[in-house]
Amino acid sequence: YTNALRGIAAIARSSGQDVEGIFKSINDLSKDGLVPVQDLTEAMRSLLKVYSLSDAIKMIEALKTTGIALGTQKQMPLGDAVRRSAEGVRLWISTLSDATNVTENLDSMVAKYATRLGLSSEKLDENQKYQAVLNAFVKEASGLHEAQKQALEGLTGQMAKYNHALIDFKNVFGQTLAPMTIEIVQALTEATKSLGKFLFAFEKGFLSIGHLVGMLSIKLKGIFSWTS
């Protein structure tokens, strides 16, 4: 995280961008509680190497929207997906850039953009290629806002915020209360894996509310009896 902050400051200095403006943008992007600041910082560092600040913000917003609407939470935390996708775009690695479930190959995005300009992909410079990728992600996200809204109102949104809170908890207390915190977080993490399976089964209709409450009760008793 510290390296990411230093990296952003270095990029800002070399490109003449406003460091305070960049950090304010990261803070604004984190206000909905869906993606931890650390992941946003890493994503921003990657994207600022190939985009202006305004375009980097557009990309991160598109990554958040696609990640939520297309069910990234079933594979990995949303913060991980946003960070990995941003890194994939910068490094031009489609197997990373698809972490938010936008699976179109980066070269394919460029080819379609070039065709609209009446050119071949080889005729585009680097800036145009990255513009093509940005346009493709933003277009994908533009058609997913209703799906994003529905996901946020359901279990996906709640689990995303829980993962964010857990990560922030580790970041704040992981060093000052290291021995005790690590053990507690490990216990909570293991319990969360089980709880997540129960909640997913309930959401899909595989469990009744009675079964869900019973299983949650057993798990919670296990967590808190561990600390007594």
Side-chain angles (χ1 to χ4, degrees):
Y1 179 52
T2 302
N3 289 337
L5 293 175
R6 290 172 179 166
I8 284 178
I11 292 169
R13 284 194 298 270
S14 65
S15 62
Q17 298 192 66
D18 177 21
V19 177
E20 290 186 8
I22 294 172
F23 291 143
K24 181 181 182 301
S25 297
I26 293 171
N27 183 60
D28 290 342
L29 287 164
S30 73
K31 285 182 178 178
D32 57 15
L34 295 171
V35 180
V37 170
Q38 181 169 344
D39 290 317
L40 288 170
T41 303
E42 295 279 2
M44 184 66 78
R45 178 177 65 165
S46 291
L47 295 172
L48 285 176
K49 292 182 178 180
V50 293
Y51 292 116
S52 66
L53 175 58
S54 60
D55 282 347
I57 292 170
K58 290 178 185 176
M59 178 62 86
I60 290 175
E61 288 176 338
L63 293 175
K64 289 170 64 178
T65 297
T66 55
I68 293 166
L70 298 176
T72 293
Q73 289 290 110
K74 296 175 183 177
Q75 290 88 41
M76 68 183 77
L78 180 61
D80 285 353
V82 169
R83 174 177 47 76
R84 285 167 60 88
S85 286
E87 184 180 11
V89 168
R90 178 179 70 84
L91 297 175
W92 210 261
I93 302 175
S94 293
T95 52
L96 277 179
S97 66
D98 66 0
T100 62
N101 287 339
V102 177
T103 57
E104 183 176 4
N105 186 280
L106 297 176
D107 290 331
S108 173
M109 297 177 184
V110 171
K112 291 178 180 179
Y113 180 77
T115 298
R116 287 195 294 272
L117 296 178
L119 301 170
S120 65
S121 299
E122 293 75 19
K123 296 291 185 181
L124 301 183
D125 62 27
E126 187 175 82
N127 289 336
Q128 289 174 309
K129 290 180 179 179
Y130 280 111
Q131 185 63 51
V133 171
L134 173 63
N135 291 354
F137 272 92
V138 170
K139 181 179 180 181
E140 182 79 15
S142 67
L144 294 172
H145 290 301
E146 185 59 33
Q148 178 193 28
K149 180 181 177 182
Q150 292 176 3
L152 287 175
E153 290 173 349
L155 181 60
T156 297
Q158 297 307 311
M159 289 301 292
K161 290 183 178 181
Y162 170 78
N163 285 331
H164 181 174
L166 184 60
I167 290 169
D168 282 348
F169 176 80
K170 285 192 258 187
N171 288 339
V172 171
F173 296 108
Q175 294 181 0
T176 56
L177 300 175
M180 179 179 71
T181 301
I182 290 172
E183 291 184 12
I184 292 173
V185 170
Q186 286 175 340
L188 287 172
T189 300
E190 290 303 313
T192 299
K193 291 178 182 178
S194 297
L195 294 177
K197 293 177 183 177
F198 295 152
L199 292 170
F200 178 76
F202 172 68
E203 187 180 48
K204 296 299 181 183
F206 301 142
L207 284 180
S208 68
I209 185 65
H211 283 108
L212 176 64
V213 170
M215 290 178 173
L216 292 178
S217 176
I218 291 171
K219 283 293 175 183
L220 291 173
K221 285 180 181 178
I223 294 171
F224 293 108
S225 64
W226 174 91
T227 61
S228 60

